[in-house]
Amino acid sequence: ETGVTQSPTHLIKTRGQQVTLRCSSQSGHNTVSWYQQALGQGPQFIFQYYREEENGRGNFPPRFSGLQFPNYSSELNVNALELDDSALYLCASSLELNSPLHFGNGTRLTVT
Amino acid sequence: GNSVTQMEGPVTLSEEAFLTINCTYTATGYPSLFWYVQYPGEGLQLLLKATKADDKGSNKGFEATYRKETTSFHLEKGSVQVSDSAVYFCALKDSGAGSYQLTFGKGTKLSVIP
């Protein structure tokens, strides 16, 4: 059984640029959540997608957006990058909305 | 709003020592409580959970009891190993309909030395 995989593992971008992070859910999982983990902090909820629709959103500005595809893989897009967007971005999938989360290893984004 | 407070780290222990990591929470309802572990370079793994008051979650020698009266969910292990070195996160999920997000504490880094 393949777990949650994220790509790329590391990324360096310049302030003002745009970035797309990708996530492949665990097989059979129809729900995906994205979290931002700043250095030395706990993960913060960005949003969740269920069957291709956004199902909830945390306290993040609209320049953070996402997509979930028919195969339940997902993208996180961030526009107009700011220095404070530097963080580890974690994707987590679950079998259903209230099932346990399975996390990927994350994408480390550095904004310079 | 919901919040989770964990004891400040880092925590350094000798192998076979007793471990306690304190966690208290604030929530509007009756949340489910979790402990996640993050090994270096990896994502989070669910360690244990409890869904109602007085429940005890346990896994790999770790235990935590859901204490509603003290709004706490302290993590304990009787004898730590070097392989337990990691960052531990306490988290909650609200019980309301449509509750879908986890609220995490800041994490406690544990280092176990031989």
Side-chain angles (χ1 to χ4, degrees):
Chain A
E1 182 179 82
T2 307
V4 177
T5 58
Q6 294 186 240
S7 62
T9 54
H10 294 82
L11 199 53
I12 300 174
K13 288 285 191 178
T14 303
R15 190 171 50 184
Q17 285 186 316
Q18 180 265 344
V19 69
T20 297
L21 310 181
R22 293 180 173 84
C23 172
S24 291
S25 301
Q26 190 161 324
S27 178
H29 288 193
N30 61 23
T31 305
V32 65
S33 304
W34 285 91
Y35 286 79
Q36 180 196 65
Q37 186 180 8
L39 197 62
Q41 302 294 315
Q44 298 282 320
F45 175 73
I46 303 175
F47 42 57
Q48 182 187 69
Y49 280 81
Y50 173 65
R51 296 182 184 272
E52 303 178 57
E53 298 287 330
E54 186 177 293
N55 187 57
R57 188 179 183 91
N59 190 26
F60 280 81
R63 59 189 185 83
F64 285 78
S65 62
L67 280 174
Q68 188 182 29
F69 300 100
N71 65 355
Y72 300 138
S73 65
S74 176
E75 285 182 357
L76 164 65
N77 298 289
V78 187
N79 294 322
L81 284 167
E82 301 177 0
L83 296 179
D84 284 349
D85 295 333
S86 296
L88 181 67
Y89 288 85
L90 295 166
C91 170
S93 71
S94 56
L95 197 59
E96 288 291 340
L97 275 173
N98 271 322
S99 301
L101 297 183
H102 296 256
F103 283 86
N105 287 346
T107 293
R108 171 74 63 189
L109 172 65
T110 302
V111 182
T112 61
Chain B
N2 297 337
S3 67
V4 174
T5 303
Q6 287 181 238
M7 64 184 286
E8 295 280 329
V11 174
T12 302
L13 295 173
S14 298
E15 208 165 19
E16 300 183 4
F18 184 85
L19 169 71
T20 299
I21 301 178
N22 290 338
C23 171
T24 57
Y25 68 89
T26 302
T28 50
Y30 298 96
S32 295
L33 301 175
F34 305 83
W35 276 100
Y36 280 84
V37 59
Q38 187 174 36
Y39 297 101
E42 297 184 11
L44 278 71
Q45 299 175 26
L46 177 63
L47 183 58
L48 53 84
K49 68 175 183 179
T51 57
K52 61 183 189 296
D54 299 326
D55 266 3
K56 177 185 281 188
S58 61
N59 186 27
K60 299 181 181 180
F62 291 89
E63 292 183 341
T65 301
Y66 189 142
R67 300 287 188 201
K68 185 168 176 291
E69 63 276 13
T70 55
T71 61
S72 65
F73 193 54
H74 305 322
L75 182 68
E76 296 182 336
K77 186 175 185 183
S79 176
V80 294
Q81 305 301 311
V82 171
S83 57
D84 295 326
S85 298
V87 181
Y88 292 81
F89 292 93
C90 184
L92 70 82
K93 185 164 76 167
D94 214 335
S95 59
S99 294
Y100 32 73
Q101 68 180 76
L102 288 171
T103 300
F104 286 89
K106 290 186 177 181
T108 303
K109 184 176 181 179
L110 170 66
S111 296
V112 180
I113 54 178

